[in-house]
Amino acid sequence: MLVYGLLLAVGIGLLEWLDFRRLARLHGGGLWVALIAAGFLLLGVWLGAQLVRRGRPPEPEPFAGNPRAQASLGLSDREMEVLGLIAGGLSNKEMARQLDVSPNTIKTHVARVLAKLEASRRTDALRRARELGLLP
């Protein structure tokens, strides 16, 4: 049974070779051009994949802030959290809902953040915090 399968495979291979030779005689130049084009296409796809893999930027490290500036200004962790929410554009009511505290508590935290950053408005506080490396 194995010998029969091998004989069939050799016979089919021979027929395919003869068919290829016939095609090569009829369409000689076009066939070679097509084979060369297919080779360059495969080469281009492979090279592109290699370049994309190498060109990927490394994963950015999570923002850690500036602990020295935070300590020197005396900003608590909760005040830093409020500062981050201010940077997110949240209103006092939205911050209060998110932190599960009253709006008056948020007003107090915002006032302390503004005082510690020596800012009169939220935008000034954000600018100063970014300069000090407290915010990304």
Side-chain angles (χ1 to χ4, degrees), residues 15 31 35 52-53 71-72 84 89 92 106 116-117 123 125 132-133:
L15 288 174
L31 183 63
L35 287 174
V52 166
R53 267 192 225 125
S72 69
N92 285 351
I106 293 296
K116 290 178 180 181
L117 289 172
T123 54
L132 294 171

Side-chain angles (χ1 to χ4, degrees), residues 43-125:
L43 179 67
V45 169
W46 180 77
L47 281 175
Q50 296 300 315
L51 291 174
V52 166
R53 267 192 225 125
R54 286 188 192 148
R56 243 181 237 154
E59 291 292 322
E61 295 182 20
F63 181 74
N66 185 350
R68 285 185 183 165
Q70 181 182 349
S72 69
L73 292 172
L75 287 167
S76 67
D77 290 336
R78 180 60 106 178
E79 289 167 343
M80 286 297 297
E81 194 173 1
V82 169
L83 183 60
L85 294 175
I86 291 171
L90 274 66
S91 67
N92 285 351
K93 287 183 181 181
E94 292 169 329
M95 285 190 268
R97 262 188 249 117
Q98 188 165 341
L99 297 177
D100 199 29
V101 295
S102 75
N104 288 332
T105 304
I106 293 296
K107 288 178 187 176
T108 302
H109 285 310
V110 170
R112 286 185 182 157
V113 167
L114 292 176
K116 290 178 180 181
L117 289 172
E118 299 172 359
S120 57
R121 296 177 302 198
R122 291 178 180 216
T123 54
D124 294 337

